[in-house]
Amino acid sequence: MDTKKAKDRAGKPRVAALILARGGSKGIPLKNIKMLAGVPLIGWVLRAAVDSELFDSIWVSTDHDDIEKVAKAWGAQVHRRSPEVSRDSSSSLETIQEFVRLNPGVDIICNIQATAPCLHPHHLKQALGKITEEGFQSVFSVVRRHHFRWQEVKKGVSVSTEPLNLDPNRRPRRQDWDGELCENGSFYITSRDLIEKGILQGGKVAYFEMGAEYSVDIDVDIDWPVAEQRVLRYGYFGKDKPEVVRLLLCNLSGCLTDGQIYMSADGLEMVSLNTRDSMGIRMLKKEGVEVIVLSSRDNPIPKAMGEKLSKQVGCEIRHDVEEKLAEVERLRKDRGLVWKEVAYMGNDEPDVPCLNLAGLSAVPLDAPLVSLNAAKYTCHSAAGRGALREFAEHILLLKKKAKSQMEQDRIHRDTF
């Protein structure tokens, strides 16, 4: 078989994940990077692909600069597709063929759809095993549906209908009918040789059945809220269980504010505070998360101004913090918390130890590289421009996910 030749040649076939993400979506503009339950849509499948540890390389094929930035932030390489395969009329197969031509070192291509946010690593592992271990040349994902289908029949000006997959006089019960296998579009895995021949599903072909709960279809705006509820319950949130945060610590300058001091002609000092960020603090407090803002000793914001800010945002501000890690340790121990229950938002090198230790950590978009590399979450907003609100929403999202998982565990326990 084709993949066996590749295996003999190099010890094992070289497998690439490829996500097609054109910028010109007609149904939902820039759909592939629109935020879904706090994560860019394409981020859900990239997280699953990265954590599966199956692929020699992970790629996003796009024609759009913003999609390229998001793809790289989530760990993918970028294939800038040519104008010839970026038209509305361009097919997925044509785009994959272009990628294959430009990447001769790839033997198997796993085309993952960006619109499959409930994809998990174990789906990919089991499906790819059908090729690498069972000898199939192509595998695609399906979902089992129990839908009675009818087709429209037009004869001149009259329109009628006739059944496609049932006898109306002998309608089967669901339990007496296996249903039909329908492509759910989550992924298509194919050998290089078939792609070069213009075949996406062919040769020795197999299907991989996914549960209905993991099959999400996002084409138009009305699909979005349904998908968000589905992903909260069944989406893949990473290798670790979602953290339940009880305490958020945040830098004042460079996180809550943009780090700048404004001075009037009369010598009055002012700072800029974003109302979205203060609302984020109130949202967290409403859900039982304590929020403390830290102001370092070398912070240019005067203490009197900090007190006014404290009243404005509705949380404590601790001034003259010299050693952030020591202060955070004291706060954590005083409350009897473990690091997984602590979230930290910083913006520079002194914050790196706390960013590394906290269960959840974040930095604004404009933070220096040293802190970007240490944080577990990089905001899409800059400091003082809604970054704290964004991180607050991320924390609350994971709290909902953890609550959903606990409820699901309770349901499972109650069934035995």
Side-chain angles (χ1 to χ4, degrees):
M1 129 180 194
D2 300 320
T3 52
K4 185 177 184 300
K5 292 177 183 176
K7 201 170 194 175
D8 293 340
R9 192 171 59 240
K12 65 174 184 177
R14 293 152 296 186
V15 186
L18 178 64
I19 297 94
L20 308 183
R22 192 169 64 91
S25 172
K26 295 299 182 185
I28 305 174
L30 284 179
K31 171 177 66 179
N32 296 308
I33 56 173
K34 183 178 177 180
M35 300 299 284
L36 177 74
V39 173
L41 178 60
I42 198 172
W44 290 101
V45 295
L46 284 173
R47 177 190 284 159
V50 170
D51 284 359
S52 72
E53 300 180 347
L54 293 171
F55 304 108
D56 297 293
S57 57
I58 298 172
W59 298 79
V60 169
S61 172
T62 188
D63 59 344
H64 199 280
D65 292 343
D66 290 342
I67 296 176
E68 177 174 349
K69 291 175 184 176
V70 173
K72 288 180 177 178
W74 283 84
Q77 300 180 66
V78 172
H79 163 240
R80 288 298 294 224
R81 61 173 69 181
S82 67
E84 288 73 25
V85 296
S86 299
R87 305 186 184 99
D88 291 342
S89 59
S90 300
S91 69
S92 297
L93 179 58
E94 290 172 332
T95 310
I96 298 170
Q97 285 180 311
E98 179 184 76
F99 171 81
V100 165
R101 286 196 301 271
L102 297 174
N103 292 273
V106 174
D107 302 307
I108 299 172
I109 298 89
C110 180
N111 172 217
I112 303 173
Q113 302 287 77
T115 52
C118 288
L119 182 69
H120 284 241
H122 69 83
H123 296 138
L124 297 169
K125 289 178 183 178
Q126 294 173 45
L128 184 59
K130 290 182 175 291
I131 289 183
T132 58
E133 299 171 17
E134 299 179 37
F136 289 95
Q137 290 175 279
S138 62
V139 179
F140 60 96
S141 59
V142 301
V143 62
R144 194 174 296 270
R145 302 290 190 195
H146 292 76
H147 294 164
F148 294 134
R149 295 185 294 113
W150 296 69
Q151 70 175 348
E152 186 180 59
V153 180
K154 294 182 179 180
K155 295 180 179 179
V157 295
S158 65
V159 178
S160 61
T161 187
E162 61 185 38
L164 271 178
N165 66 344
L166 80 153
D167 178 352
N169 299 316
R170 297 181 180 179
R171 295 171 67 92
R173 299 180 304 167
R174 183 185 178 92
Q175 60 265 38
D176 296 330
W177 181 40
D178 290 336
E180 296 180 324
L181 298 177
C182 305
E183 291 185 23
N184 70 354
S186 289
F187 57 81
Y188 301 83
I189 310 177
T190 315
S191 70
R192 176 190 189 87
D193 297 300
L194 287 178
I195 293 295
E196 289 177 335
K197 295 174 184 175
I199 301 171
L200 186 62
Q201 298 157 285
K204 187 179 179 183
V205 62
Y207 67 85
F208 177 80
E209 184 174 346
M210 294 173 64
E213 65 270 26
Y214 300 111
S215 300
V216 179
D217 190 22
I218 304 176
D219 286 322
V220 293
D221 278 329
I222 60 172
D223 296 328
W224 211 263
V226 176
E228 286 199 311
Q229 292 304 311
R230 185 76 66 83
V231 81
L232 278 172
R233 191 171 183 106
Y234 299 109
Y236 175 69
F237 278 73
K239 293 180 179 180
D240 298 326
K241 289 184 178 180
E243 312 295 358
V244 179
V245 171
R246 305 188 189 281
L247 172 65
L248 168 63
L249 300 159
C250 173
N251 275 359
L252 175 56
S253 181
C255 288
L256 184 57
T257 73
D258 60 9
Q260 298 186 72
I261 295 289
Y262 304 90
M263 187 171 293
S264 70
D266 298 328
L268 295 175
E269 293 181 325
M270 295 173 287
V271 294
S272 173
L273 183 67
N274 195 300
T275 56
R276 287 180 294 169
D277 291 327
S278 55
M279 176 58 74
I281 292 174
R282 287 193 285 271
M283 290 165 58
L284 288 170
K285 292 177 66 177
K286 184 178 179 181
E287 294 298 321
V289 179
E290 182 182 6
V291 181
I292 298 176
V293 175
L294 304 177
S295 179
S296 60
R297 181 165 293 179
D298 57 355
N299 195 310
I301 295 178
K303 189 172 182 178
M305 184 185 294
E307 295 300 333
K308 291 181 180 179
L309 286 173
S310 178
K311 292 179 181 179
Q312 181 70 29
V313 299
C315 72
E316 178 186 356
I317 295 181
R318 295 214 167 188
H319 297 276
D320 299 329
V321 176
E322 186 173 0
E323 293 291 338
K324 290 183 178 178
L325 180 58
E327 181 68 14
V328 173
E329 280 282 22
R330 279 194 295 271
L331 291 167
R332 179 183 69 80
K333 291 178 180 178
D334 286 347
R335 288 155 178 75
L337 303 177
V338 296
W339 273 106
K340 284 192 173 184
E341 297 172 303
V342 176
Y344 188 90
M345 187 171 193
N347 68 300
D348 215 329
E349 187 172 3
D351 301 301
V352 168
C354 295
L355 292 169
N356 285 325
L357 289 168
L360 288 174
S361 60
V363 292
L365 178 65
D366 53 349
L369 184 61
V370 64
S371 55
L372 283 169
N373 291 336
K376 299 175 177 68
Y377 182 89
T378 301
C379 296
H380 292 82
S381 303
R385 299 290 185 271
L388 179 54
R389 168 64 179 268
E390 183 182 334
F391 189 39
E393 290 179 344
H394 182 67
I395 291 170
L396 294 176
L397 169 72
L398 294 185
K399 284 177 72 70
K400 286 182 183 178
K401 176 66 176 178
K403 183 178 179 181
S404 177
Q405 283 192 354
M406 287 187 286
E407 178 64 18
Q408 191 66 27
D409 291 343
R410 183 192 65 76
I411 293 170
H412 289 330
R413 288 196 301 273
D414 290 350
T415 59
F416 293 98

